[in-house]
Amino acid sequence: MTSAAIYGCLGHRLTEDEKAFFAEVRPWGFILFRRNIGTPEQVRALTDELRASIGDPDAPVLIDQEGGRVQRMGPPHWPKYPPGAAYLKATNELAQARELTRLGARLMAHDLREVGVTVDLLPVLDVPVPGAHDIIGDRAYGVDPETVAVLGRAAAEGLLAGGVLPCIKHMPGHGRAFADTHKDLPTVHADLDTLDAWDFAPFKALSDMPIGMTAHIVFTAIDRKHPATQSKKAIRLIRERLGFGGLLLSDDLVMNALSGSLTQRAHKALKAGCDLVVHWNGDMDEMRQVAEGVGPLKGGARRRAEAALARIVRTPEPLDPVAGHDRFFKAMGGRMDVAKGPDVGEAQA
């Protein structure tokens, strides 16, 4: 039976231990990082191997391919895409930025689909506030909820048109965090009305998306004790106030924002209402700990997983990738340099 987890692997090919572990625990899907990326042929062989390990040719394979600081597939085999903030800067006009954002995501979907990746952890719908930690920074599409919602939807539409599922993140909002969740547990003290008008707005606008990811952040207006990933109150708010009915993933369990053993972290996230937990680094001992806290994917979670996969377009929208890339990079005006900020690197984004 499929388990409610997504795992990574260590290298360019699966080890025998990894094959045996995946066959035993049968995760819903897998996630790739930079350490797994070589040539297009190698990545395609790896995604085939991952699916073969659990006997499911349609098992989802995920990746963080945003552009900018968070791009697992890049030169020399794939283009260097810009961060979210670059689109509006390149055009200074929201309608034009929307077209460029959709085109950029459509091109990324083409790259991903060719190597067997079917879920992109994009778009980032967080709205940064002045003084917040730069872990989001230029990954955000704008500095106001309306811009983020418009360009976030454009990115999601581009991915969907290319046969790749988008994942909105980080619910219910990461823009007020004054710490990096990879290292610490941030606490947000804003009141519920303020959060609703600003942080929640883009997520409500894209509540129809198939997949979402939680934030490891404590919102005192929602739950003073638990980060959203492990909070029943926060998950209820995501479902009811934000109106999100899709498949809900935890952010990476290894992040230092969470405490306790990995078994406890996984169990708490699922008990709170996450549908699936994500473990990224491929460490076998850690994956076995996670597996102890994970049960089968069943009930509403299983139905949401099936509904998400049903959104994959089997025949992508027509695209001339050469002409598309030429048009995209010309329109961006050479603005391919990544804005300054912390490199998210080999950690769940």
Side-chain angles (χ1 to χ4, degrees):
M1 183 175 288
T2 300
S3 63
I6 295 166
Y7 296 111
C9 61
L10 281 178
H12 284 192
R13 299 300 297 267
L14 292 186
T15 65
E16 292 305 313
D17 284 348
E18 287 171 336
K19 290 178 183 178
F21 173 75
F22 294 146
E24 174 190 350
V25 302
R26 294 189 56 79
W28 179 75
F30 305 94
I31 185 165
L32 301 183
F33 283 83
R34 200 171 300 149
R35 66 179 181 272
N36 306 123
I37 307 300
T39 65
E41 295 77 16
Q42 171 269 317
V43 179
R44 181 77 221 199
L46 178 58
T47 58
D48 288 344
E49 200 169 36
L50 286 165
R51 293 183 169 106
S53 71
I54 59 173
D56 182 358
D58 296 318
V61 177
L62 295 73
I63 199 168
D64 284 301
Q65 188 77 348
E66 299 174 13
R69 290 174 283 141
V70 184
Q71 179 167 339
R72 311 311 185 197
M73 291 164 46
H77 299 291
W78 298 276
K80 182 180 179 181
Y81 290 98
Y87 294 100
L88 192 58
K89 289 180 181 178
T91 63
N92 293 315
E93 204 281 311
L94 188 58
Q96 293 180 23
R98 188 190 189 288
E99 293 179 8
L100 273 181
T101 305
R102 188 188 189 281
L103 176 58
R106 176 66 186 88
L107 292 167
M108 282 192 276
H110 171 79
D111 299 341
L112 299 178
R113 190 178 174 93
E114 279 200 323
V115 296
V117 176
T118 50
V119 181
D120 191 359
L121 301 178
L122 181 77
V124 175
L125 297 185
D126 306 308
V127 189
V129 299
H133 193 282
D134 201 32
I135 190 63
I136 298 299
D138 67 344
R139 297 165 66 193
Y141 290 106
V143 293
D144 65 272
E146 180 183 1
T147 298
V148 171
V150 169
L151 299 188
R153 180 167 289 281
E157 289 175 353
L159 292 173
L160 285 167
V164 172
L165 295 179
C167 172
I168 58 175
K169 62 186 186 185
H170 307 79
M171 304 177 83
H174 206 301
R176 288 180 196 276
F178 285 82
D180 179 356
T181 50
H182 299 89
K183 301 175 182 179
D184 300 292
L185 174 61
T187 299
V188 170
H189 297 285
D191 62 75
L192 204 56
D193 288 342
T194 300
L195 292 169
D196 191 69
W198 189 267
D199 306 68
F200 300 168
F203 293 102
K204 290 195 286 187
L206 274 78
S207 62
D208 59 314
M209 288 297 117
I211 306 176
M213 175 175 278
T214 62
H216 297 337
I217 297 173
V218 171
F219 295 86
T220 58
I222 303 170
D223 186 335
R224 291 181 173 274
K225 295 182 178 180
H226 305 102
T229 298
Q230 298 176 333
S231 167
K232 290 183 179 180
K233 294 177 182 178
I235 302 302
R236 187 182 309 120
L237 177 139
I238 288 169
R239 294 298 190 196
E240 297 177 0
R241 190 160 188 153
L242 274 59
F244 180 69
L247 184 68
L248 192 60
L249 316 182
S250 77
D251 206 341
D252 174 36
L253 293 177
V254 175
M255 287 183 177
N256 289 331
L258 301 183
S259 59
S261 70
L262 286 168
T263 301
Q264 292 170 333
R265 296 181 190 192
H267 177 73
K268 288 179 181 179
L270 294 170
K271 187 177 180 181
C274 286
D275 294 321
L276 292 155
V277 293
V278 178
H279 181 272
W280 72 277
N281 67 20
D283 182 286
M284 183 58 68
D285 289 338
E286 290 188 4
M287 290 195 293
R288 291 194 181 281
Q289 292 177 46
V290 171
E292 290 178 8
V294 173
L297 185 65
K298 60 183 180 179
R302 186 178 187 87
R303 289 191 292 274
R304 287 186 286 271
E306 291 170 349
L309 294 184
R311 295 280 298 275
I312 295 178
V313 175
R314 300 300 173 181
T315 304
E317 172 187 273
L319 174 74
D320 180 337
V322 175
H325 279 110
D326 184 60
R327 179 160 59 94
F328 176 73
F329 288 112
K330 282 183 179 178
M332 290 301 296
R335 296 172 185 264
M336 292 298 102
D337 293 335
V338 179
K340 290 182 179 180
D343 182 358
V344 176
E346 283 291 74
Q348 176 66 21

